[in-house]
Amino acid sequence: MRGQDIKSILLVLCPPVWHKLPPLGLAYISEYLKYLGYAVSVLDLNIEDVSLLEIAGKYDCIGFSVFNTNQKNVLELSKQIKEKNPKIKILLGGPQCFSWQFEKPPDGIKYADNMILGDALPDLDERPFPSFAGFKLDKYERKRALPILFSRGCVRKCRFCSERLLSDKYSVRDPEKVIEEIRYNKKVNNTKWFTFHDSLINGDLKKLEQLCGHLKNEDIKWDAQAIIRKDMTEELLKQMKDSGCFNLFIGLESGSEKVLKLMDKGFTLPEAEMFFKRCRSVDLHFEVSLIVGFPGEGDVEFNETLSFIKRNREYIPKIAQINPFMKYSGTDVSDAPVDMGMGRVKRFIETVENLGIKYTPEFVNNLIRGQ
Ligand code: B12
Ligand code: SF4
C-alpha cells in the first residue's frame, strides 16, 4: 500500500469478536504504522456505537482485522465503503485472511485493495510494543487489564491445530523487554492485570523462569495458556504462582491415551496427572479444555475421558471448555460429524455437573444454543 498516497488509516474491529480485552493484533499494527509515520485511529465496533460509513470518508485507508466470526460483517462494510467512496483503500489482515488460503475465499474479498497474511511485522522485540494509545480502555469488561505477548508460535504440532500455519517457528521475547512493556502499562494505563495471549507461556522454561524472577517484583496478577510438560518442576510452578500467576488455561483435550496419540498432543496421561498434581501442590489454579468427537474417538475412548476426569476430580479445579471437534482449514485431520461431538458434549456436561466439578457455563450455553 506504500506509495499510494496514504497518510491516514482507520483500523477497525467488527463484531462479533471476543471483547473482554482490547484487541492485541490491532494494538500492534497501530503502533507499527504510527512508527512508520502514518496517522492512525482505531475503532472497535464491539464496544463503540459509531457508523463506520459516516466517518470512513475522513481516512485514506480502512484496515480491518478479520476473524472467522466477523468476516461477513467486514466484507459487507468493505462493499458499502467502496460503493460510497471508491477512493478509500481497503486493507485486510488477521487470522481469517490466512484461513482463506485453504478454503474457497468469499466473493466479497474483491473489495479489498490489499491483504496481509500472517504476522507481517518484525520480530516481537524488534517492533514497538503496543501503548494502547487511542483505545477506549474503560469500555472493555475487564478493568485495568491488558493483553500482552511473551512468545509467538508453539513448540508442538498437534494435528488439529492451525498454530503452525500462523507462525512456522517458535520465538520468545527477552524477559526484560516484557517487563519494560509491563512497567509502561502500569504507569500510563494503570494496568494491574496482564493476560498473556501466547498459545503457550511455557515453551521455553529458562526464559519463563527469568520472566517470573522479574514479575515477582511488579505487584501485578497474570494469566496465560500453558501446555502439559513432564519437565516442569513444582519449583517453577511455585515461582509462577509467586510472581502473580492466578490461572493457567491448559489444553488436555482427551483422557484417552489412544486419542492423545492420534492428536499428537505430545504428552501421556500419567504426565498430565503428574502436572495437575504439581499445580495443586503449589496451589496454582488452572482450568482444562477438552475436545470430544475427534476422529478415532469411539464410545470406549470417550468413556475413558469421562473416567479420567472422575479419577482426577480432586486435582482438576475447573473445566473451561468442552468443544465438539471441528476441523480447521489447512490441517490434515478428516472432518468428523459435529452432531456426534455435540451429543458427547451434552453427556460430558451431565457428568461434570453430577460430579460437582466447576465449568464455564457461558461457554457451554453459547455452544448449545448456537446449534
Ligand atoms: C488469545 C486467543 C484467544 C483468546 C482471546 C481472543 C481475542 N479475540 O483476543 C480467547 C481464549 C478468548 C480465544 C477465543 C477463541 N479463539 Co482464539 N486465539 C487466541 C490466540 C492464541 C492469540 C490471539 C492473539 O492475541 N494473538 C496475538 C496478536 C498480536 O496476533 P493477531 O491478532 O493475529 O494479529 C496479528 C496479525 O494477524 C496481523 N493483523 C491482525 N489484524 C490486522 C489488521 C490489519 C489491517 C493488518 C494489516 C494486519 C492485522 O497483525 C497482528 C500483529 O502481528 C490465537 C492464535 C494465535 N497464535 O494468534 C487464537 C485464534 C485467534 N483463536 C481462534 C479461535 C477459532 C477461537 C475460538 C473460536 C475458539 C473456540 N472454539 O471458542 C474463540 C472465539 C472467540 C471470539 N469470538 O472471538 C483462531 C481464529 C481462526 C480464524 N480464522 O479466525 C486462532 C487464530 C487460533 C487458531 N485456531 O488458529 N482466543
Ligand atoms: S500445544 Fe496448543 S498451540 Fe501448540 S500445537 Fe498443540 S494445540 Fe496448538
Side-chain angles (χ1 to χ4, degrees), residues 42 47-48 132 134-140:
V42 181
I47 55 141
E48 289 175 76
F132 292 94
F135 284 73
K136 304 212 167 29
L137 297 184
D138 54 329
K139 293 225 175 183
Y140 292 91

mmCIF file of all heavy atoms in Angstrom, residues 42 47-48 132 134-140:
data_model
loop_
_atom_site.group_PDB
_atom_site.id
_atom_site.type_symbol
_atom_site.label_atom_id
_atom_site.label_comp_id
_atom_site.label_asym_id
_atom_site.label_seq_id
_atom_site.Cartn_x
_atom_site.Cartn_y
_atom_site.Cartn_z
ATOM 1 N N VAL A 42 -8.209 4.074 15.759
ATOM 2 C CA VAL A 42 -8.720 2.721 15.969
ATOM 3 C C VAL A 42 -10.199 2.781 16.317
ATOM 4 O O VAL A 42 -10.632 3.657 17.067
ATOM 5 C CB VAL A 42 -7.962 2.045 17.142
ATOM 6 C CG1 VAL A 42 -8.468 0.632 17.357
ATOM 7 C CG2 VAL A 42 -6.472 2.025 16.882
ATOM 8 N N ILE A 47 -17.450 -2.486 20.931
ATOM 9 C CA ILE A 47 -17.710 -1.704 22.149
ATOM 10 C C ILE A 47 -18.146 -0.268 21.855
ATOM 11 O O ILE A 47 -18.501 0.464 22.757
ATOM 12 C CB ILE A 47 -16.452 -1.652 23.054
ATOM 13 C CG1 ILE A 47 -15.247 -1.121 22.249
ATOM 14 C CG2 ILE A 47 -16.127 -2.988 23.671
ATOM 15 C CD1 ILE A 47 -14.360 -0.223 23.012
ATOM 16 N N GLU A 48 -18.079 0.141 20.572
ATOM 17 C CA GLU A 48 -18.443 1.526 20.244
ATOM 18 C C GLU A 48 -19.593 1.539 19.252
ATOM 19 O O GLU A 48 -19.593 0.768 18.282
ATOM 20 C CB GLU A 48 -17.249 2.245 19.614
ATOM 21 C CG GLU A 48 -16.141 2.538 20.599
ATOM 22 C CD GLU A 48 -14.936 3.140 19.894
ATOM 23 O OE1 GLU A 48 -14.983 4.326 19.536
ATOM 24 O OE2 GLU A 48 -13.967 2.400 19.691
ATOM 25 N N PHE A 132 -1.442 1.128 23.431
ATOM 26 C CA PHE A 132 -2.912 1.229 23.530
ATOM 27 C C PHE A 132 -3.391 2.680 23.517
ATOM 28 O O PHE A 132 -4.504 2.965 23.933
ATOM 29 C CB PHE A 132 -3.460 0.446 24.732
ATOM 30 C CG PHE A 132 -3.310 -1.036 24.562
ATOM 31 C CD1 PHE A 132 -2.206 -1.707 25.068
ATOM 32 C CD2 PHE A 132 -4.244 -1.764 23.841
ATOM 33 C CE1 PHE A 132 -2.037 -3.076 24.862
ATOM 34 C CE2 PHE A 132 -4.088 -3.127 23.628
ATOM 35 C CZ PHE A 132 -2.989 -3.779 24.151
ATOM 36 N N GLY A 134 -5.163 5.733 22.129
ATOM 37 C CA GLY A 134 -6.279 5.832 21.179
ATOM 38 C C GLY A 134 -7.319 4.736 21.382
ATOM 39 O O GLY A 134 -8.379 4.772 20.750
ATOM 40 N N PHE A 135 -7.061 3.760 22.238
ATOM 41 C CA PHE A 135 -8.061 2.716 22.539
ATOM 42 C C PHE A 135 -8.923 3.186 23.707
ATOM 43 O O PHE A 135 -8.407 3.795 24.642
ATOM 44 C CB PHE A 135 -7.370 1.397 22.934
ATOM 45 C CG PHE A 135 -6.788 0.649 21.768
ATOM 46 C CD1 PHE A 135 -5.640 1.098 21.137
ATOM 47 C CD2 PHE A 135 -7.383 -0.508 21.303
ATOM 48 C CE1 PHE A 135 -5.094 0.410 20.052
ATOM 49 C CE2 PHE A 135 -6.852 -1.218 20.228
ATOM 50 C CZ PHE A 135 -5.704 -0.744 19.598
ATOM 51 N N LYS A 136 -10.201 2.843 23.669
ATOM 52 C CA LYS A 136 -11.107 3.262 24.761
ATOM 53 C C LYS A 136 -11.097 2.179 25.846
ATOM 54 O O LYS A 136 -12.017 1.375 25.970
ATOM 55 C CB LYS A 136 -12.517 3.471 24.209
ATOM 56 C CG LYS A 136 -12.526 4.481 23.066
ATOM 57 C CD LYS A 136 -13.775 5.281 22.983
ATOM 58 C CE LYS A 136 -13.672 6.482 22.055
ATOM 59 N NZ LYS A 136 -12.752 6.409 20.920
ATOM 60 N N LEU A 137 -10.023 2.180 26.602
ATOM 61 C CA LEU A 137 -9.793 1.064 27.535
ATOM 62 C C LEU A 137 -10.887 0.922 28.593
ATOM 63 O O LEU A 137 -11.183 -0.190 29.026
ATOM 64 C CB LEU A 137 -8.420 1.221 28.215
ATOM 65 C CG LEU A 137 -7.216 1.170 27.270
ATOM 66 C CD1 LEU A 137 -5.915 1.231 28.046
ATOM 67 C CD2 LEU A 137 -7.251 -0.076 26.400
ATOM 68 N N ASP A 138 -11.511 2.030 28.978
ATOM 69 C CA ASP A 138 -12.533 1.945 30.036
ATOM 70 C C ASP A 138 -13.820 1.275 29.554
ATOM 71 O O ASP A 138 -14.689 0.938 30.347
ATOM 72 C CB ASP A 138 -12.840 3.344 30.594
ATOM 73 C CG ASP A 138 -13.213 4.309 29.490
ATOM 74 O OD1 ASP A 138 -12.689 4.139 28.369
ATOM 75 O OD2 ASP A 138 -14.053 5.194 29.720
ATOM 76 N N LYS A 139 -13.949 1.032 28.246
ATOM 77 C CA LYS A 139 -15.186 0.407 27.737
ATOM 78 C C LYS A 139 -15.134 -1.117 27.742
ATOM 79 O O LYS A 139 -16.132 -1.776 27.468
ATOM 80 C CB LYS A 139 -15.436 0.872 26.304
ATOM 81 C CG LYS A 139 -15.752 2.352 26.204
ATOM 82 C CD LYS A 139 -16.913 2.575 25.278
ATOM 83 C CE LYS A 139 -17.311 4.035 25.283
ATOM 84 N NZ LYS A 139 -18.448 4.285 24.463
ATOM 85 N N TYR A 140 -13.973 -1.686 27.978
ATOM 86 C CA TYR A 140 -13.884 -3.147 27.974
ATOM 87 C C TYR A 140 -14.276 -3.701 29.340
ATOM 88 O O TYR A 140 -14.094 -3.034 30.362
ATOM 89 C CB TYR A 140 -12.462 -3.598 27.577
ATOM 90 C CG TYR A 140 -12.174 -3.260 26.136
ATOM 91 C CD1 TYR A 140 -11.578 -2.047 25.795
ATOM 92 C CD2 TYR A 140 -12.560 -4.120 25.116
ATOM 93 C CE1 TYR A 140 -11.346 -1.712 24.473
ATOM 94 C CE2 TYR A 140 -12.329 -3.790 23.785
ATOM 95 C CZ TYR A 140 -11.728 -2.594 23.466
ATOM 96 O OH TYR A 140 -11.513 -2.261 22.144
#
